[in-house]
Amino acid sequence: MTERVATTPGLFPLPDWAKETLSDLKGHQKGDLLSGDEGPEIVSTYADVRSELIDDQLDAGLDRIVEGQARWDDMIAHPLTVADGVETGGIVRYYDNNNFYRDPRVVSEPTASGDVAEELAAARDQLPADDDVALQAVLPGPYSLSELATNETGADAEAFRESIAAFLAAEVEALGDHETLFLLEPSLVEQPPEDGVDAQASDAIDRVASATDADVVVHTYWGAIPEKPYAHLLDADIDAVGLDLVTGDRDDSVYNVQEYGAPDSVALGVVDGQNTLVEEPETIAERVEWFEEQLPVGGFETTYVTSNTELFYLPENKYQAKLNALAAGVEVLS
């Protein structure tokens, strides 16, 4: 029988109280954004935010708890922006939306900072000793991170992707115990790899996934992965592919699974991370069941029931309502 797991891909919005506090502490300019060496007041404020975000998830009843990534000023590019060997350039649009990040200009071999591992350790300390919840790590996938960054190392594109994969693998090795790892790979949809590059992207993902014993979910969104990159992705040693059933043509995602198969588990983006309309639990359950009914195979080992995108686009009250809806949707399914 398929286990249904309520979770998210992380990156939550800052609580309203924290926005003003952090604005006063950090300033308002590009150079005032997070660098990894903040003073005690900023560190303490983010610790309070982390505690609140974890409580939001526990109160909602999610099965996998993420740290929340409230410190990630640069969205999924964050782990690279605080690494050695990387300089921050100008402001770049974050895919096709009204959010921006500082361009990580990689000038030499990037070195893992352990920044994400420290965040995850702090989150681990706040989880209850409860078998019903487990810790989930979140990192960018190597293909998307290499697409978001600027290569100023002098290496060719393939070697650059390999260096980003090595950097992320080192970050993963430092994470400590976690049940699940979500690798965020929106570029597989937004900037899909060409012939030849699709196999290289899969190899890079495999290298990062191999750095942990946790279940690895490669989560994609903003549409369906094109056929060939999807087929190559299955060559990586991953446990689940995340599919966006909210935006784009979900029939294309179903076709990919029908035609090429899937790992033993799947993550389904059934809640819209960029729309303030809160889905009813029954709607969430129906979307999961619709997907499963399209497949002429037995059930998955695990279905991760999640938002399609990160949730930082939403107002605080809507983000909290989406968490509650996800957990309630899984209850309907059970």
Side-chain angles (χ1 to χ4, degrees), residues 60 62-63 76 158 165 194 211 231 325:
L62 295 190
D63 302 300
I76 66 173
E158 182 177 359
E194 300 175 350

Side-chain angles (χ1 to χ4, degrees), residues 4-302:
R4 272 63 174 259
V5 170
T7 188
T8 73
L11 280 91
F12 296 157
L14 281 170
D16 292 338
W17 66 265
K19 293 177 183 177
E20 183 174 350
T21 298
L22 288 167
S23 179
D24 291 341
L25 289 172
K26 292 166 59 179
H28 306 273
Q29 303 302 315
K30 180 186 74 170
D32 298 320
L33 298 179
L34 200 73
S35 60
D37 56 356
E38 287 64 50
E41 285 184 287
I42 293 176
V43 170
S44 176
T45 301
Y46 275 120
D48 291 341
V49 170
R50 179 186 301 114
S51 180
E52 186 168 319
L53 298 181
I54 290 173
D55 285 345
D56 285 343
Q57 296 169 82
L58 293 172
D59 291 344
L62 295 190
D63 302 300
R64 294 288 186 275
I65 306 300
V66 300
E67 187 268 340
Q69 293 74 49
R71 294 174 61 246
W72 291 24
D73 288 323
D74 297 290
M75 283 71 83
I76 66 173
H78 166 85
L80 202 52
T81 62
V82 296
D84 290 337
V86 181
E87 299 175 358
T88 52
I91 297 297
V92 182
R93 185 180 295 275
Y94 181 59
Y95 300 106
D96 188 20
N97 60 62
N98 291 324
N99 292 277
F100 297 83
Y101 68 98
R102 294 171 298 174
D103 177 22
R105 294 170 46 241
V106 183
V107 297
S108 62
E109 196 77 17
T111 304
S113 66
D115 183 271
V116 178
E118 291 179 9
E119 291 180 334
L120 199 67
R124 187 181 298 111
D125 290 343
Q126 294 182 35
L127 286 192
D130 187 341
D131 291 337
D132 292 335
V133 297
L135 190 63
Q136 178 171 294
V138 175
L139 279 169
Y143 177 70
S144 293
L145 189 56
S146 64
E147 289 294 302
L148 290 172
T150 296
N151 176 13
E152 296 186 357
T153 64
D156 63 24
E158 182 177 359
F160 182 64
R161 276 187 293 273
E162 290 174 355
S163 72
I164 295 298
F167 161 75
L168 287 171
E171 292 281 10
V172 171
E173 289 170 355
L175 288 179
D177 291 338
H178 53 286
E179 186 76 13
T180 313
L181 169 63
F182 261 52
L183 294 177
L184 307 184
E185 282 284 14
S187 288
L188 287 176
V189 175
E190 285 288 296
Q191 298 166 313
E194 300 175 350
D195 288 351
V197 179
D198 44 17
Q200 296 165 14
S202 177
D203 289 344
I205 290 168
D206 183 78
R207 179 168 185 174
V208 179
S210 297
T212 179
D213 293 328
D215 292 334
V216 177
V217 180
V218 175
H219 192 56
T220 65
Y221 38 100
W222 290 320
I225 312 171
E227 279 187 63
K228 287 194 68 178
Y230 178 85
H232 279 289
L233 178 59
L234 299 184
D235 293 333
D237 186 16
I238 60 176
D239 298 278
V241 174
L243 305 173
D244 185 347
L245 300 188
V246 177
T247 59
D249 189 347
R250 62 182 186 173
D251 290 333
D252 289 345
S253 292
V254 170
Y255 171 81
N256 284 339
V257 178
Q258 291 173 334
E259 186 71 14
Y260 300 102
D264 292 334
S265 299
V266 68
L268 300 179
V270 290
V271 163
D272 194 335
Q274 294 181 271
N275 192 320
T276 56
L277 177 66
V278 178
E279 294 82 354
E280 293 294 333
E282 292 76 15
T283 299
I284 293 170
E286 287 168 2
R287 289 173 177 172
V288 172
E289 291 171 337
W290 173 87
F291 178 84
E292 294 175 343
E293 289 167 358
Q294 311 304 308
L295 306 180
V297 296
F300 294 99
E301 286 185 7
T302 304

